[in-house]
Amino acid sequence: MTQAMRCMKCGGPMEEGFVRDLTHGGTAQAAWVGGKPQRSFWVGIVTRGRDQFPVVSYRCEGCGYLESYARVEGDE
């Protein structure tokens, strides 16, 4: 996404960022995981072997609207 993004709600400029995910050891970037959640007693939710993409969010500087994308690393 090399061109400047505009807000779908108010037309204001969008700023790139990410959604913070709190973990036991600190902070990580949220990720989209394919499929329905499968609970596990030991790890919470099973994610091994599933498609996973980092979530990149854009925030409107005018109205605060968020727009998020789960894209492959390096796609811009």
Side-chain angles (χ1 to χ4, degrees):
M1 313 229 165
T2 55
Q3 65 189 38
M5 291 185 64
R6 305 301 291 183
C7 178
M8 293 174 46
K9 303 291 183 182
C10 76
M14 301 286 280
E15 173 184 18
E16 184 175 347
F18 66 96
V19 177
R20 181 178 70 163
D21 188 12
L22 298 176
T23 67
H24 292 291
T27 301
Q29 181 178 4
W32 177 90
V33 180
K36 293 183 179 181
Q38 179 184 354
R39 301 216 178 271
S40 164
F41 176 77
W42 299 108
V43 295
I45 295 178
V46 176
T47 59
R48 186 180 201 156
R50 296 181 181 202
D51 288 336
Q52 297 184 45
F53 301 97
V55 174
V56 177
S57 289
Y58 293 84
R59 178 188 160 277
C60 176
E61 296 175 10
C63 70
Y65 174 75
L66 294 177
E67 191 170 327
S68 297
Y69 297 88
R71 62 184 187 209
V72 177
E73 291 283 342
D75 281 0
E76 307 212 5

